[in-house]
Amino acid sequence: MRKATYLLAAALCSLCLLAESQVAAAKKGMPKHVIIVGFDGLSARSITDGANMPNLRKLMSEGSYTLKQRSILPSSSACNWASMFKGAGPELHGFTNWGTQKPEVQPPIANRNGQFPAIFDLYREKSAAAEIGYLYEWGGMRYVVDTLAMSYKLHAEPNDANPEGILNSGVSYIKEKKPNLCALIFHEPDGVGHSIGWSSPAYMAKVTVLDSYLGKVITAVKEAGIMDETVIVVVADHGGVNKGHGGTSMNEMQTPLVFFGKGIKRNFQIPESTMVYDVAATVAYMLKVQQPQAWIARPITSIFE
């Protein structure tokens, strides 16, 4: 009896060690750089309706993707960007609507600056020397993360003098600083969706322009000499219908999610159900950051080779 018990314990121990070694081996192939490119209001429907986005489609064919990434409710901006970076929903991080600027629900935990933890400050705590960038066009993005965690931050709204917004600064930053973690969040095509309509010819034309921006970011990563050690993640906060969003239709809630780069499976369609907050967990997994217990996000591990 004792011998049988011993053998069972030894077998279980061996299985645990094997599982740990497999995880460790997988993480050895993780990237040194993660570049997040976000497009506010980019619906999955625009892709299925044939949007002219050759750069995005190339990342999809050479990486892993889903067109069924789902937002939290409401399907609006601040609450979804916060969820994407903070690994949890509004019930925990406290950003409950489109324009939330400070938590409206008391978070169960807080970082050293009093905010519910996001991937940026967790990574900063892990690595004081990490280069972390955060560039955004919509002013509301300032509030959804702890900007004190950033090495570099920039708010630049597109205007007549600077129609490409954060693009050129983002390209220069990637080439010069080779960030370990960087988010570039563009405010379009949300503006066109609200003014003219989701799925309108103008909206589809705008996503083609944004795809050219994505192409320039990809080129910047190559010219920085870090492509072999980088994963590019393309994300969106919500879609839309007619001239609005915030509701429960799939056109409002479903967005594309694409991973491309080191260690990522090629031409792989993600089979699992994914939520917007799973982005944070997946980035944490890649950067070997321990996610806090209060996060409800799960890393999308099927995308890794």
Side-chain angles (χ1 to χ4, degrees):
M1 184 70 177
R2 287 181 179 179
K3 183 176 181 180
T5 302
Y6 173 80
L7 291 174
L8 177 60
L12 290 173
C13 183
S14 297
L15 287 173
C16 289
L17 290 173
L18 176 60
E20 289 178 1
S21 66
Q22 289 174 336
V23 170
K27 288 198 173 186
K28 286 181 181 179
M30 292 295 121
K32 295 178 181 178
H33 311 271
V34 176
I35 308 295
I36 301 169
V37 182
F39 298 116
D40 199 307
L42 179 62
S43 68
R45 181 181 175 182
S46 64
I47 312 302
T48 58
D49 281 355
N52 181 20
M53 301 186 75
N55 291 300
L56 181 64
R57 293 183 187 279
K58 182 176 175 63
L59 296 189
M60 291 166 62
S61 66
E62 297 183 3
S64 298
Y65 70 94
T66 178
L67 297 179
K68 295 181 179 180
Q69 167 84 337
R70 191 169 292 199
S71 75
I72 54 85
L73 291 174
S75 52
S76 294
S77 294
C79 46
N80 271 282
W81 289 118
S83 297
M84 187 183 301
F85 298 141
K86 293 177 180 288
E91 304 87 350
L92 293 170
H93 60 62
F95 287 74
T96 64
N97 60 59
W98 166 82
T100 302
Q101 294 187 0
K102 61 181 180 180
E104 296 161 322
V105 176
Q106 182 178 349
I109 60 171
N111 65 12
R112 59 189 176 186
N113 296 315
Q115 297 193 21
F116 189 83
I119 182 57
F120 302 102
D121 40 276
L122 290 170
Y123 187 44
R124 171 62 68 212
E125 291 175 6
K126 178 180 183 294
S127 177
E131 182 66 34
I132 305 175
Y134 186 65
L135 298 85
Y136 58 95
E137 295 181 345
W138 176 52
M141 296 299 299
R142 171 189 173 188
Y143 306 101
V144 302
V145 297
D146 184 354
T147 57
L148 294 177
M150 312 305 174
S151 310
Y152 174 73
K153 57 181 179 292
L154 176 69
H155 173 211
E157 296 181 12
N159 53 43
D160 291 341
N162 180 32
E164 295 180 330
I166 61 171
L167 176 63
N168 293 326
S169 295
V171 164
S172 296
Y173 174 65
I174 291 170
K175 290 164 66 174
E176 293 172 11
K177 295 295 185 179
K178 302 175 176 57
N180 303 104
L181 175 60
C182 179
L184 302 95
I185 311 299
F186 296 91
H187 187 34
E188 294 289 0
D190 185 77
V192 173
H194 283 298
S195 62
I196 301 176
W198 266 263
S199 298
S200 67
Y203 179 92
M204 299 297 270
K206 177 59 72 172
V207 300
T208 299
V209 172
L210 295 171
D211 185 77
S212 72
Y213 293 3
L214 175 60
K216 291 181 180 179
V217 172
I218 296 168
T219 298
V221 173
K222 292 178 180 177
E223 292 180 353
I226 59 173
M227 181 58 85
D228 290 345
E229 294 291 341
T230 296
V231 167
I232 296 172
V233 188
V234 182
V235 298
D237 53 341
H238 60 74
V241 292
N242 300 321
K243 294 183 179 180
H245 58 80
T248 59
S249 71
M250 289 300 99
N251 286 339
E252 293 165 279
M253 293 183 64
Q254 286 186 334
T255 63
L257 173 63
V258 183
F259 297 89
F260 165 85
K262 182 174 183 179
I264 302 296
K265 290 178 182 176
R266 296 170 62 91
N267 195 27
F268 178 73
Q269 189 167 351
I270 298 169
E272 301 97 330
S273 170
T274 66
M275 291 290 296
V276 64
Y277 41 67
D278 293 331
V279 172
T282 308
V283 173
Y285 183 85
M286 288 190 284
L287 295 176
K288 304 176 186 178
V289 172
Q290 180 69 39
Q291 72 176 59
Q293 182 274 333
W295 278 18
I296 60 174
R298 300 168 296 178
I300 307 168
T301 56
S302 66
I303 65 175
F304 299 107
E305 293 179 334

